[in-house]
């Protein structure tokens, strides 16, 4: 159990990503009762409060990428005073490609209570809509804007077997898809969701080549791309056994060698262990 102090509470609240009806009673209560609200955009916060019909007496401070680090000290001071500090981003969950991480880390280090008011997430909504495997996935957020850095990052992900989720600006989507086709191939399955939970919500599914053709003339709205992972590479057990014996010959413990080769090749560990043990026995006979 964390050793929290009795005073001060840092709240992270998920705000609607489009549809105001997604604002939960817990979010409404947090907005109305907070002592301090740290908002990514104070004008958008005031608009949200107005549309939800909420009156707040909280002290509102701006909290965005450019001033996040500088704001942490003041927010911690508010927690020290026993106040409730609410962190909200423009849409979705704070800390997920939005400010929030630094103040959470500082609050945890200081022993302050941290709680979350769950809310909408473009990551999970797009993933659910994609039709791609959801049992294992990774979130990559926005890739680097520079073409060379973006291509290197995509190349590093070429062998990733988990479903991948990306955010992308609409005007950069054609370039993203062009680079993704080079890294993953034209036939890799993907989906593109735009304007999630809004009136013009749309999800397109298909191969990267199909989606690139669709996006070539331009796409509007906030974009979330979901990309299928690579098919696992399964090396035959017979071909994996020599790799184990090679490791053990260089001094690596047998069990460790089996575990490493199994992880790298996708071969079932138990089957590889038995086959390598038998091969070692024949070699040593």
């Amino acid at each position: 159990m964390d050793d929290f102090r009795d005073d001060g509470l840092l709240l992270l609240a998920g705000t609607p990503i489009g549809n105001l009806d997604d604002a939960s009673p817990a979010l409404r209560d947090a907005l109305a009762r907070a002592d301090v609200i740290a908002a990514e955009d104070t004008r958008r916060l005031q608009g949200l409060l107005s549309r939800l019909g909420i009156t707040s007496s909280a002290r509102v401070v701006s909290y965005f990428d450019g001033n996040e680090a500088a704001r942490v000290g003041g927010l911690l001071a508010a927690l020290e005073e026993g106040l409730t500090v609410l962190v909200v981003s423009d849409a979705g969950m704070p800390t997920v490609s939005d400010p929030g991480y630094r103040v959470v880390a500082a609050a945890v280090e200081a022993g302050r209570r941290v709680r979350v008011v769950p809310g909408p997430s473009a990551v999970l909504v797009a993933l659910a809509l994609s039709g791609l495997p959801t049992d294992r996935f990774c979130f990559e957020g926005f890739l680097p804007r520079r073409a060379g850095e973006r291509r290197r990052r995509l190349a590093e992900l070429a062998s990733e077997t988990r479903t991948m989720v990306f955010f992308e600006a609409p005007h950069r989507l054609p370039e993203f898809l062009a680079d993704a086709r080079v890294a993953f191939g034209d036939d890799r399955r993907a989906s593109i969701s735009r304007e999630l939970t809004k009136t013009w919500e749309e999800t397109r599914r298909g191969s990267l080549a199909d989606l690139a053709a669709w996006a070539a003339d331009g796409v509007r709205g906030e974009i979330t791309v979901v990309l299928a992972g690579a098919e696992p590479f399964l090396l035959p057990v017979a071909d994996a056994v020599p790799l184990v014996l090679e490791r053990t010959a260089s001094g690596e413990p047998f069990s460790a060698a089996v575990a490493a080769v199994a992880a790298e090749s996708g071969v079932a560990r138990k089957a590889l262990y038995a086959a390598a043990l038998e091969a070692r026995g024949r070699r040593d006979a």
Side-chain angles (χ1 to χ4, degrees), residues 211-232:
L211 293 173
W214 167 72
D217 293 331
V219 178
R220 294 182 179 181
E222 297 180 345
I223 303 295
T224 306
V225 180
V226 184
L227 187 65
E231 293 294 331

Side-chain angles (χ1 to χ4, degrees), residues 17 30 41 44 59 133 181 200 202 205 219 227 234 263 281:
I17 58 177
D41 186 321
R44 294 189 66 165
R59 175 166 59 90
R181 292 173 68 183
W200 305 110
E202 180 181 18
R205 306 171 186 86
V219 178
L227 187 65
L234 297 178

Side-chain angles (χ1 to χ4, degrees), residues 88-158:
V88 292
S89 57
D90 290 345
M93 284 299 303
T95 76
V96 181
S97 280
D98 281 324
Y101 162 74
R102 287 184 174 86
V103 71
V104 172
V108 170
E109 180 68 21
R112 295 297 171 184
R113 292 182 298 156
V114 181
R115 296 287 183 266
V116 170
V117 178
S121 167
V123 176
L124 297 181
V125 174
L127 184 68
L129 288 171
S130 70
L132 298 172
T134 59
D135 53 336
R136 297 178 69 243
F137 68 92
C138 59
F139 174 58
E140 291 293 326
F142 287 98
L143 293 184
R145 294 184 180 185
R146 294 179 181 273
E149 295 176 8
R150 182 175 61 247
R151 290 165 187 161
R152 283 192 291 273
R153 182 61 187 138
L154 288 171
E156 292 171 357
L157 293 168

